[in-house]
Amino acid sequence: MGERVWWLEGDVEYNQRVGERLRQIRLQRGMSLQDVQRATDGEFKAAVLGAYERGERSLSLPRLRRLAACYDVPINQLLYTALLAPGALAWAGYPALDLSYLSLIAFIGVI
């Protein structure tokens, strides 16, 4: 009936993965949503941050960078789990690649 909108479906899953990571790091820092709102002088409202954590809203890269600074973590710590989780690229139609032999190939000089 309707055409599959893979980029939208992928965005939803990606947002959820990033959101889970955001929540995990916030809780590791012992911060509530209100604590983050106060620490950022209201830039990140508790309700909006909660929507990011639930994957209901997309987070721009500049805002993600400022949130990483608030949590005092490198930005890649917020993205790493979301991008490298099992099947993270499968939703976008990319093939899964087993790279376990890549270092061996590089070692023997094939690449």
Side-chain angles (χ1 to χ4, degrees):
M1 201 126 118
E3 183 179 337
R4 181 171 178 242
V5 185
W6 63 267
W7 66 86
L8 182 57
E9 291 171 0
D11 285 351
V12 170
E13 185 174 337
Y14 174 79
N15 289 344
Q16 289 171 342
R17 289 175 191 254
V18 171
E20 289 168 7
R21 185 66 176 148
L22 291 173
R23 177 177 288 129
Q24 184 181 54
I25 291 177
R26 176 179 58 79
L27 293 176
Q28 286 175 354
R29 297 288 182 262
M31 299 177 81
S32 69
L33 294 171
Q34 292 77 21
D35 291 337
V36 176
Q37 181 173 325
R38 281 189 293 277
T40 61
D41 294 323
E43 178 183 358
F44 290 95
K45 303 286 187 221
V48 173
L49 186 57
Y52 289 145
E53 290 183 358
R54 291 187 300 276
E56 296 170 357
R57 293 184 64 160
S58 294
L59 188 59
S60 70
L61 193 55
R63 285 181 63 81
L64 186 64
R65 188 182 66 228
R66 292 192 299 274
L67 192 54
C70 173
Y71 293 154
D72 194 30
V73 297
I75 194 169
N76 66 333
Q77 291 296 311
L78 299 179
L79 297 175
Y80 180 80
T81 303
L83 293 175
L84 297 181
L89 296 178
W91 50 258
Y94 294 107
L97 300 176
D98 181 0
L99 301 177
S100 58
Y101 292 104
L102 188 58
S103 61
L104 177 61
I105 293 170
F107 176 74
I108 61 175
V110 174
I111 57 171

